[in-house]
Amino acid sequence: MQNLIESKSKIFSRNAIICLGIIGLVGFLIRFFYFPEGIPITLDGAFYFWYANDLSISGTFPANVNFPNNGWPTFLSVFFYFFNSEYFLDYMDLQRYLTIIISVVTIIPIFILCRKFCGNGLSLLGSIFFVFQPRIVENSLLGLTEPLFILLELSCLILFLQNNWKLKYLSFAFLALACLVRYEGIVLILPLSFLFLFKNRRDKTIIPRFLMAISIFLLVLLPMLFVRMDTMGYDGVASHAMAAIGKNSITYLGIITFIKSVAIGVFPIFFVLLPLGFFGFFRNRNFDKYTILLFLIFMLMTIFYASSRGIAEPRYLLTLFPIFSLIAIYTVKEITKKFNKDKLISIIFVIAILLSSIVYLDYNKNDYEYELDAYHVGLEVSKRTSGINDYYPEIKYVHNKIDVISNLGTFPILSSEIEQKVKLIHTDDYTSLNEFIGHGKNEGLTHIIADENKNRSQFLKDVFKNEKKFPYLTKIYDSSEHGYDYHLKIFRINYEKFESVEFN
């Protein structure tokens, strides 16, 4: 870190620190404005929550869980351990606060990265490009792995670009930490190793130095891999990387999905700024720029792997946003060259970025009132039923143990001590209500859930609209009668009546 410390006065001038502080403050305010108050974390975020919760309570890594990316919940568990509350939502809010803080703090290494290639003014603009990206803002509110993964990968890149052996060694340590957060980070060991050897190929000590770098990488990585082998039966890095190589294949659908993912991911800000930026950035090439390019290519490989499996998920593209922010600066640079009005054009870009980000966020934001209703109605479903049909996505508030904790009001508690009360039975393979109930009886189906979602099976929509047609269903709950905008009905199945109807 000595190289960075020595140049601190040059990189972090007083004006730069003040500007970064203002950028960070606005970044926090935007995120807190869209903060989902009172709504639990669900889906992937809930898995990280329970892992961190169990680790913080027991002090041992949870066993028999299929959870390769345990770096983030392990980090999160430290904060859970020192946090004190009897309400689980406070812990979930803490999880979100941490990802928000990490996301906003990332403007500092982005500034350093951009400062490597541009002046202070444009480097600040690079931080703005990142922190106000709508998808970065949205992701920071979910309590997921991406904010920490982006910070670690970016730190690896910045340290490697420094002309200091100690910092280059440290870059391998940060890459190992990134691999523990998300196993796909392992692909960067290839460009990192190649660039390390190639740039210093004339150095007679390069082989011992490289062995030192790899040793540092393994010393950071292996302890957690041994923990995973002991608790899960696989290491979660090499095992998944090899599986990915074995499954990967180039298909027409994969290419289309890849293009779609990238196009959606870069919209709206980068969609406009990247084409000209790429031209400007790589016009005058050097080793550092080739390093950026190689990192970019290998990071794109993980997105292509997901696309080859038909997964069009812009979330995988977020790791590229720091590099995209750097390249986007060059669009501004090209424009300012033409018009020779640096400050005016930069101000225009800042205003345009803020406005487009807020408009996009506001247009695409989740309906938090609806989600809060779905959560509270889900608690009623959990209280009153034991075996129900699927009603995705609102079922996420019922089938994840959060409903049990909410109803019990007991926390903290190990997830293994929580018995999932409601059994979920899928409706995908059935074309009629009678067929579904007939098969569902043996699987523990006790109630039918019907709501106003237009994507439900036709027979569930029929139950919702024409409940009197089904004498064997008794309505025991209607959310509209309790003031909720989310309209859901719970019907208890009377199997005696059902069988008499079926027999007749």
Side-chain angles (χ1 to χ4, degrees):
M1 300 295 289
Q2 185 179 355
N3 190 36
L4 286 178
I5 294 171
E6 289 176 352
S7 61
K8 184 177 179 182
S9 59
K10 295 181 180 179
I11 295 176
F12 294 107
S13 65
R14 183 180 177 184
N15 288 339
I17 292 173
I18 292 172
C19 291
L20 282 173
I22 294 171
I23 293 168
L25 178 61
V26 178
F28 277 121
L29 291 176
I30 289 176
R31 284 159 174 78
F32 288 130
F33 180 80
Y34 291 100
F35 194 88
E37 194 71 42
I39 300 174
I41 294 174
T42 58
L43 305 176
D44 289 351
F47 285 110
Y48 298 122
F49 170 79
W50 286 117
Y51 192 101
N53 171 76
D54 290 356
L55 180 55
S56 68
I57 294 173
S58 67
T60 58
F61 289 92
N64 302 317
V65 290
N66 186 18
F67 207 76
N69 295 322
N70 66 339
W72 161 238
T74 300
F75 175 75
L76 180 61
S77 69
V78 176
F79 295 88
F80 279 8
Y81 179 80
F82 291 103
F83 191 66
N84 185 26
S85 176
E86 296 179 354
Y87 193 37
F88 79 95
L89 273 178
D90 291 339
Y91 287 85
M92 289 193 161
D93 285 346
L94 175 60
Q95 184 174 341
R96 285 190 171 109
Y97 291 144
L98 286 172
T99 50
I100 287 172
I101 292 169
I102 293 169
S103 176
V104 174
V105 166
T106 304
I107 63 173
I108 297 173
I110 286 177
F111 175 81
I112 297 172
L113 175 66
C114 296
R115 184 67 180 76
K116 181 83 176 174
F117 301 91
C118 307
N120 276 353
L122 289 174
S123 299
L124 289 168
L125 193 59
S127 296
I128 290 171
F129 282 142
F130 177 83
V131 79
F132 298 142
Q133 273 290 333
R135 295 196 182 280
I136 291 292
V137 175
E138 289 173 338
N139 182 265
S140 69
L141 300 173
L142 301 177
L144 297 174
T145 58
E146 281 77 22
L148 182 58
F149 185 60
I150 291 169
L151 180 61
L152 291 171
E153 279 199 330
L154 178 58
S155 300
C156 166
L157 176 58
I158 291 170
L159 291 167
F160 185 78
L161 289 172
Q162 307 307 311
N163 295 317
N164 182 300
W165 284 112
K166 292 179 181 179
L167 296 182
K168 289 185 186 293
Y169 293 147
L170 195 57
S171 70
F172 281 81
F174 272 83
L175 178 59
L177 291 173
C179 292
L180 297 178
V181 175
R182 293 200 67 83
Y183 69 84
E184 53 262 38
I186 193 66
V187 299
L188 290 182
I189 194 62
L190 298 176
L192 200 65
S193 299
F194 170 77
L195 292 165
F196 187 92
L197 292 168
F198 182 79
K199 185 178 183 181
N200 306 287
R201 60 191 181 280
R202 293 185 178 86
D203 189 329
K204 293 181 180 179
T205 64
I206 186 57
I207 297 302
R209 288 184 183 279
F210 178 66
L211 292 176
M212 172 71 75
I214 290 296
S215 297
I216 292 171
F217 176 76
L218 293 175
L219 281 172
V220 175
L221 189 66
L222 287 177
M224 183 59 81
L225 299 196
F226 289 141
V227 168
R228 292 176 181 176
M229 288 291 293
D230 186 49
T231 58
M232 298 185 293
Y234 57 86
D235 62 78
V237 175
S239 58
H240 283 62
M242 295 303 295
I245 293 171
K247 292 178 182 178
N248 198 17
S249 60
I250 299 175
T251 63
Y252 175 75
L253 178 60
I255 294 172
I256 296 299
T257 304
F258 174 76
I259 295 172
K260 181 181 176 182
S261 295
V262 172
I264 294 173
V266 300
F267 187 84
I269 298 172
F270 289 144
F271 190 81
V272 177
L273 298 178
L274 285 181
L276 183 59
F278 271 107
F279 173 78
F281 183 75
F282 292 109
R283 177 189 294 156
N284 300 314
R285 295 174 290 277
N286 56 34
F287 183 82
D288 287 344
K289 289 186 177 180
Y290 282 123
T291 299
I292 297 292
L293 178 61
L294 209 54
F295 265 67
L296 183 63
I297 291 171
F298 274 82
M299 290 162 77
L300 276 168
M301 288 172 57
T302 60
I303 304 167
F304 189 79
Y305 167 66
S307 300
S308 68
R309 298 165 60 196
I311 303 173
E313 179 54 78
R315 173 181 155 193
Y316 292 112
L317 200 70
L318 299 183
T319 56
L320 301 178
F321 278 27
I323 294 177
F324 286 168
S325 298
L326 168 63
I327 293 172
I329 288 175
Y330 279 78
T331 298
V332 182
K333 204 172 183 180
E334 293 293 318
I335 295 172
T336 53
K337 276 183 183 178
K338 186 173 182 180
F339 293 98
N340 197 28
K341 293 182 179 180
D342 295 16
K343 290 185 178 179
L344 177 61
I345 290 174
S346 295
I347 291 170
I348 292 172
F349 266 97
V350 170
I351 294 172
I353 291 164
L354 276 171
L355 287 177
S356 62
S357 179
I358 292 171
V359 169
Y360 184 89
L361 282 168
D362 214 56
Y363 181 77
N364 291 281
K365 72 176 180 180
N366 288 329
D367 186 342
Y368 289 139
E369 290 185 7
Y370 176 87
E371 292 295 324
L372 197 57
D373 279 1
Y375 167 52
H376 289 296
V377 170
L379 298 184
E380 297 299 324
V381 172
S382 179
K383 286 179 185 177
R384 301 164 188 267
T385 67
S386 57
I388 62 172
N389 55 282
D390 185 14
Y391 65 106
Y392 181 85
E394 289 81 7
I395 188 68
K396 64 188 176 184
Y397 295 116
V398 176
H399 204 63
N400 59 8
K401 299 185 179 182
I402 297 300
D403 57 311
V404 181
I405 287 294
S406 299
N407 287 324
L408 289 177
T410 303
F411 205 79
I413 184 174
L414 290 170
S415 64
S416 59
E417 297 176 4
I418 304 170
E419 184 179 353
Q420 185 65 59
K421 180 177 178 291
V422 180
K423 185 175 182 180
L424 179 64
I425 298 139
H426 295 282
T427 60
D428 297 342
D429 298 330
Y430 304 100
T431 57
S432 71
L433 181 64
N434 288 356
E435 181 187 9
F436 175 63
I437 292 177
H439 285 85
K441 180 180 180 181
N442 297 327
E443 297 183 35
L445 180 67
T446 59
H447 295 77
I448 295 294
I449 306 297
D451 63 10
E452 53 193 346
N453 191 318
K454 296 179 180 179
N455 296 321
R456 300 284 178 248
S457 302
Q458 184 57 48
F459 62 83
L460 290 177
K461 289 191 282 188
D462 195 24
V463 171
F464 182 80
K465 294 178 181 178
N466 305 293
E467 56 189 75
K468 294 182 179 179
K469 285 173 54 179
F470 307 94
Y472 46 85
L473 297 181
T474 303
K475 185 168 70 174
I476 61 171
Y477 178 81
D478 189 326
S479 64
S480 65
E481 297 173 358
H482 299 270
Y484 294 111
D485 290 334
Y486 171 49
H487 196 180
L488 174 143
K489 301 175 183 179
I490 304 175
F491 299 91
R492 184 174 59 245
I493 303 171
N494 186 321
Y495 276 103
E496 289 185 6
K497 288 186 177 181
F498 172 75
E499 288 169 0
S500 65
V501 170
E502 280 289 282
F503 183 77
N504 292 330

mmCIF file with all atom_site columns, all heavy atoms in Angstrom, residues 208-221:
data_model
loop_
_atom_site.group_PDB
_atom_site.id
_atom_site.type_symbol
_atom_site.label_atom_id
_atom_site.label_alt_id
_atom_site.label_comp_id
_atom_site.label_asym_id
_atom_site.label_entity_id
_atom_site.label_seq_id
_atom_site.pdbx_PDB_ins_code
_atom_site.Cartn_x
_atom_site.Cartn_y
_atom_site.Cartn_z
_atom_site.occupancy
_atom_site.B_iso_or_equiv
_atom_site.pdbx_formal_charge
_atom_site.auth_seq_id
_atom_site.auth_comp_id
_atom_site.auth_asym_id
_atom_site.auth_atom_id
_atom_site.pdbx_PDB_model_num
ATOM 1   N N   . PRO A 1 208 ? 10.146  -17.131 -9.049  1.00 0.00 ? 208 PRO A N   1
ATOM 2   C CA  . PRO A 1 208 ? 9.932   -17.124 -7.583  1.00 0.00 ? 208 PRO A CA  1
ATOM 3   C C   . PRO A 1 208 ? 8.861   -16.118 -7.151  1.00 0.00 ? 208 PRO A C   1
ATOM 4   O O   . PRO A 1 208 ? 8.073   -16.398 -6.248  1.00 0.00 ? 208 PRO A O   1
ATOM 5   C CB  . PRO A 1 208 ? 11.311  -16.736 -7.029  1.00 0.00 ? 208 PRO A CB  1
ATOM 6   C CG  . PRO A 1 208 ? 12.271  -17.133 -8.082  1.00 0.00 ? 208 PRO A CG  1
ATOM 7   C CD  . PRO A 1 208 ? 11.567  -16.923 -9.377  1.00 0.00 ? 208 PRO A CD  1
ATOM 8   N N   . ARG A 1 209 ? 8.833   -14.948 -7.814  1.00 0.00 ? 209 ARG A N   1
ATOM 9   C CA  . ARG A 1 209 ? 7.824   -13.943 -7.472  1.00 0.00 ? 209 ARG A CA  1
ATOM 10  C C   . ARG A 1 209 ? 6.411   -14.445 -7.800  1.00 0.00 ? 209 ARG A C   1
ATOM 11  O O   . ARG A 1 209 ? 5.467   -14.220 -7.040  1.00 0.00 ? 209 ARG A O   1
ATOM 12  C CB  . ARG A 1 209 ? 8.105   -12.635 -8.209  1.00 0.00 ? 209 ARG A CB  1
ATOM 13  C CG  . ARG A 1 209 ? 9.311   -11.869 -7.693  1.00 0.00 ? 209 ARG A CG  1
ATOM 14  C CD  . ARG A 1 209 ? 9.462   -10.543 -8.406  1.00 0.00 ? 209 ARG A CD  1
ATOM 15  N NE  . ARG A 1 209 ? 10.645  -9.802  -7.999  1.00 0.00 ? 209 ARG A NE  1
ATOM 16  C CZ  . ARG A 1 209 ? 10.739  -9.061  -6.897  1.00 0.00 ? 209 ARG A CZ  1
ATOM 17  N NH1 . ARG A 1 209 ? 9.697   -8.971  -6.083  1.00 0.00 ? 209 ARG A NH1 1
ATOM 18  N NH2 . ARG A 1 209 ? 11.851  -8.415  -6.603  1.00 0.00 ? 209 ARG A NH2 1
ATOM 19  N N   . PHE A 1 210 ? 6.299   -15.113 -8.940  1.00 0.00 ? 210 PHE A N   1
ATOM 20  C CA  . PHE A 1 210 ? 4.985   -15.652 -9.323  1.00 0.00 ? 210 PHE A CA  1
ATOM 21  C C   . PHE A 1 210 ? 4.541   -16.746 -8.356  1.00 0.00 ? 210 PHE A C   1
ATOM 22  O O   . PHE A 1 210 ? 3.372   -16.816 -7.978  1.00 0.00 ? 210 PHE A O   1
ATOM 23  C CB  . PHE A 1 210 ? 5.040   -16.198 -10.750 1.00 0.00 ? 210 PHE A CB  1
ATOM 24  C CG  . PHE A 1 210 ? 3.750   -16.820 -11.201 1.00 0.00 ? 210 PHE A CG  1
ATOM 25  C CD1 . PHE A 1 210 ? 2.604   -16.058 -11.365 1.00 0.00 ? 210 PHE A CD1 1
ATOM 26  C CD2 . PHE A 1 210 ? 3.676   -18.194 -11.434 1.00 0.00 ? 210 PHE A CD2 1
ATOM 27  C CE1 . PHE A 1 210 ? 1.410   -16.635 -11.771 1.00 0.00 ? 210 PHE A CE1 1
ATOM 28  C CE2 . PHE A 1 210 ? 2.479   -18.778 -11.843 1.00 0.00 ? 210 PHE A CE2 1
ATOM 29  C CZ  . PHE A 1 210 ? 1.348   -17.997 -12.009 1.00 0.00 ? 210 PHE A CZ  1
ATOM 30  N N   . LEU A 1 211 ? 5.493   -17.597 -7.957  1.00 0.00 ? 211 LEU A N   1
ATOM 31  C CA  . LEU A 1 211 ? 5.165   -18.651 -6.988  1.00 0.00 ? 211 LEU A CA  1
ATOM 32  C C   . LEU A 1 211 ? 4.735   -18.039 -5.660  1.00 0.00 ? 211 LEU A C   1
ATOM 33  O O   . LEU A 1 211 ? 3.840   -18.560 -4.980  1.00 0.00 ? 211 LEU A O   1
ATOM 34  C CB  . LEU A 1 211 ? 6.369   -19.573 -6.788  1.00 0.00 ? 211 LEU A CB  1
ATOM 35  C CG  . LEU A 1 211 ? 6.743   -20.443 -7.996  1.00 0.00 ? 211 LEU A CG  1
ATOM 36  C CD1 . LEU A 1 211 ? 8.012   -21.243 -7.707  1.00 0.00 ? 211 LEU A CD1 1
ATOM 37  C CD2 . LEU A 1 211 ? 5.596   -21.399 -8.355  1.00 0.00 ? 211 LEU A CD2 1
ATOM 38  N N   . MET A 1 212 ? 5.353   -16.904 -5.305  1.00 0.00 ? 212 MET A N   1
ATOM 39  C CA  . MET A 1 212 ? 4.946   -16.182 -4.097  1.00 0.00 ? 212 MET A CA  1
ATOM 40  C C   . MET A 1 212 ? 3.502   -15.681 -4.243  1.00 0.00 ? 212 MET A C   1
ATOM 41  O O   . MET A 1 212 ? 2.688   -15.809 -3.319  1.00 0.00 ? 212 MET A O   1
ATOM 42  C CB  . MET A 1 212 ? 5.889   -15.008 -3.852  1.00 0.00 ? 212 MET A CB  1
ATOM 43  C CG  . MET A 1 212 ? 5.458   -14.079 -2.733  1.00 0.00 ? 212 MET A CG  1
ATOM 44  S SD  . MET A 1 212 ? 5.614   -14.810 -1.086  1.00 0.00 ? 212 MET A SD  1
ATOM 45  C CE  . MET A 1 212 ? 7.395   -14.707 -0.871  1.00 0.00 ? 212 MET A CE  1
ATOM 46  N N   . ALA A 1 213 ? 3.177   -15.110 -5.404  1.00 0.00 ? 213 ALA A N   1
ATOM 47  C CA  . ALA A 1 213 ? 1.835   -14.581 -5.633  1.00 0.00 ? 213 ALA A CA  1
ATOM 48  C C   . ALA A 1 213 ? 0.788   -15.696 -5.577  1.00 0.00 ? 213 ALA A C   1
ATOM 49  O O   . ALA A 1 213 ? -0.265  -15.539 -4.947  1.00 0.00 ? 213 ALA A O   1
ATOM 50  C CB  . ALA A 1 213 ? 1.782   -13.879 -6.986  1.00 0.00 ? 213 ALA A CB  1
ATOM 51  N N   . ILE A 1 214 ? 1.083   -16.815 -6.230  1.00 0.00 ? 214 ILE A N   1
ATOM 52  C CA  . ILE A 1 214 ? 0.145   -17.953 -6.214  1.00 0.00 ? 214 ILE A CA  1
ATOM 53  C C   . ILE A 1 214 ? 0.011   -18.518 -4.810  1.00 0.00 ? 214 ILE A C   1
ATOM 54  O O   . ILE A 1 214 ? -1.085  -18.933 -4.387  1.00 0.00 ? 214 ILE A O   1
ATOM 55  C CB  . ILE A 1 214 ? 0.607   -19.043 -7.204  1.00 0.00 ? 214 ILE A CB  1
ATOM 56  C CG1 . ILE A 1 214 ? 0.423   -18.556 -8.647  1.00 0.00 ? 214 ILE A CG1 1
ATOM 57  C CG2 . ILE A 1 214 ? -0.168  -20.329 -6.988  1.00 0.00 ? 214 ILE A CG2 1
ATOM 58  C CD1 . ILE A 1 214 ? -1.015  -18.298 -9.042  1.00 0.00 ? 214 ILE A CD1 1
ATOM 59  N N   . SER A 1 215 ? 1.103   -18.547 -4.067  1.00 0.00 ? 215 SER A N   1
ATOM 60  C CA  . SER A 1 215 ? 1.051   -19.048 -2.683  1.00 0.00 ? 215 SER A CA  1
ATOM 61  C C   . SER A 1 215 ? 0.143   -18.177 -1.825  1.00 0.00 ? 215 SER A C   1
ATOM 62  O O   . SER A 1 215 ? -0.641  -18.690 -1.009  1.00 0.00 ? 215 SER A O   1
ATOM 63  C CB  . SER A 1 215 ? 2.463   -19.080 -2.089  1.00 0.00 ? 215 SER A CB  1
ATOM 64  O OG  . SER A 1 215 ? 3.292   -19.969 -2.802  1.00 0.00 ? 215 SER A OG  1
ATOM 65  N N   . ILE A 1 216 ? 0.245   -16.860 -2.000  1.00 0.00 ? 216 ILE A N   1
ATOM 66  C CA  . ILE A 1 216 ? -0.636  -15.943 -1.267  1.00 0.00 ? 216 ILE A CA  1
ATOM 67  C C   . ILE A 1 216 ? -2.090  -16.197 -1.641  1.00 0.00 ? 216 ILE A C   1
ATOM 68  O O   . ILE A 1 216 ? -2.982  -16.238 -0.774  1.00 0.00 ? 216 ILE A O   1
ATOM 69  C CB  . ILE A 1 216 ? -0.242  -14.484 -1.561  1.00 0.00 ? 216 ILE A CB  1
ATOM 70  C CG1 . ILE A 1 216 ? 1.124   -14.176 -0.943  1.00 0.00 ? 216 ILE A CG1 1
ATOM 71  C CG2 . ILE A 1 216 ? -1.308  -13.510 -1.035  1.00 0.00 ? 216 ILE A CG2 1
ATOM 72  C CD1 . ILE A 1 216 ? 1.701   -12.843 -1.345  1.00 0.00 ? 216 ILE A CD1 1
ATOM 73  N N   . PHE A 1 217 ? -2.349  -16.371 -2.935  1.00 0.00 ? 217 PHE A N   1
ATOM 74  C CA  . PHE A 1 217 ? -3.700  -16.672 -3.421  1.00 0.00 ? 217 PHE A CA  1
ATOM 75  C C   . PHE A 1 217 ? -4.248  -17.930 -2.748  1.00 0.00 ? 217 PHE A C   1
ATOM 76  O O   . PHE A 1 217 ? -5.381  -17.942 -2.240  1.00 0.00 ? 217 PHE A O   1
ATOM 77  C CB  . PHE A 1 217 ? -3.650  -16.846 -4.936  1.00 0.00 ? 217 PHE A CB  1
ATOM 78  C CG  . PHE A 1 217 ? -4.955  -17.257 -5.566  1.00 0.00 ? 217 PHE A CG  1
ATOM 79  C CD1 . PHE A 1 217 ? -5.978  -16.336 -5.749  1.00 0.00 ? 217 PHE A CD1 1
ATOM 80  C CD2 . PHE A 1 217 ? -5.159  -18.568 -5.975  1.00 0.00 ? 217 PHE A CD2 1
ATOM 81  C CE1 . PHE A 1 217 ? -7.182  -16.717 -6.338  1.00 0.00 ? 217 PHE A CE1 1
ATOM 82  C CE2 . PHE A 1 217 ? -6.352  -18.954 -6.553  1.00 0.00 ? 217 PHE A CE2 1
ATOM 83  C CZ  . PHE A 1 217 ? -7.362  -18.027 -6.733  1.00 0.00 ? 217 PHE A CZ  1
ATOM 84  N N   . LEU A 1 218 ? -3.442  -18.972 -2.706  1.00 0.00 ? 218 LEU A N   1
ATOM 85  C CA  . LEU A 1 218 ? -3.896  -20.248 -2.133  1.00 0.00 ? 218 LEU A CA  1
ATOM 86  C C   . LEU A 1 218 ? -4.029  -20.175 -0.611  1.00 0.00 ? 218 LEU A C   1
ATOM 87  O O   . LEU A 1 218 ? -4.946  -20.780 -0.045  1.00 0.00 ? 218 LEU A O   1
ATOM 88  C CB  . LEU A 1 218 ? -2.926  -21.367 -2.526  1.00 0.00 ? 218 LEU A CB  1
ATOM 89  C CG  . LEU A 1 218 ? -2.887  -21.726 -4.017  1.00 0.00 ? 218 LEU A CG  1
ATOM 90  C CD1 . LEU A 1 218 ? -1.803  -22.756 -4.290  1.00 0.00 ? 218 LEU A CD1 1
ATOM 91  C CD2 . LEU A 1 218 ? -4.244  -22.245 -4.482  1.00 0.00 ? 218 LEU A CD2 1
ATOM 92  N N   . LEU A 1 219 ? -3.126  -19.441 0.036   1.00 0.00 ? 219 LEU A N   1
ATOM 93  C CA  . LEU A 1 219 ? -3.193  -19.319 1.498   1.00 0.00 ? 219 LEU A CA  1
ATOM 94  C C   . LEU A 1 219 ? -4.486  -18.636 1.945   1.00 0.00 ? 219 LEU A C   1
ATOM 95  O O   . LEU A 1 219 ? -5.031  -18.957 3.001   1.00 0.00 ? 219 LEU A O   1
ATOM 96  C CB  . LEU A 1 219 ? -1.981  -18.538 2.015   1.00 0.00 ? 219 LEU A CB  1
ATOM 97  C CG  . LEU A 1 219 ? -0.664  -19.318 2.115   1.00 0.00 ? 219 LEU A CG  1
ATOM 98  C CD1 . LEU A 1 219 ? 0.485   -18.373 2.441   1.00 0.00 ? 219 LEU A CD1 1
ATOM 99  C CD2 . LEU A 1 219 ? -0.764  -20.421 3.165   1.00 0.00 ? 219 LEU A CD2 1
ATOM 100 N N   . VAL A 1 220 ? -4.961  -17.686 1.158   1.00 0.00 ? 220 VAL A N   1
ATOM 101 C CA  . VAL A 1 220 ? -6.226  -17.017 1.474   1.00 0.00 ? 220 VAL A CA  1
ATOM 102 C C   . VAL A 1 220 ? -7.412  -17.890 1.115   1.00 0.00 ? 220 VAL A C   1
ATOM 103 O O   . VAL A 1 220 ? -8.406  -17.952 1.842   1.00 0.00 ? 220 VAL A O   1
ATOM 104 C CB  . VAL A 1 220 ? -6.315  -15.665 0.725   1.00 0.00 ? 220 VAL A CB  1
ATOM 105 C CG1 . VAL A 1 220 ? -7.677  -15.009 0.954   1.00 0.00 ? 220 VAL A CG1 1
ATOM 106 C CG2 . VAL A 1 220 ? -5.202  -14.724 1.176   1.00 0.00 ? 220 VAL A CG2 1
ATOM 107 N N   . LEU A 1 221 ? -7.300  -18.608 0.001   1.00 0.00 ? 221 LEU A N   1
ATOM 108 C CA  . LEU A 1 221 ? -8.440  -19.363 -0.534  1.00 0.00 ? 221 LEU A CA  1
ATOM 109 C C   . LEU A 1 221 ? -8.659  -20.700 0.172   1.00 0.00 ? 221 LEU A C   1
ATOM 110 O O   . LEU A 1 221 ? -9.801  -21.066 0.495   1.00 0.00 ? 221 LEU A O   1
ATOM 111 C CB  . LEU A 1 221 ? -8.205  -19.603 -2.029  1.00 0.00 ? 221 LEU A CB  1
ATOM 112 C CG  . LEU A 1 221 ? -9.362  -20.196 -2.839  1.00 0.00 ? 221 LEU A CG  1
ATOM 113 C CD1 . LEU A 1 221 ? -10.532 -19.222 -2.911  1.00 0.00 ? 221 LEU A CD1 1
ATOM 114 C CD2 . LEU A 1 221 ? -8.890  -20.548 -4.253  1.00 0.00 ? 221 LEU A CD2 1
#
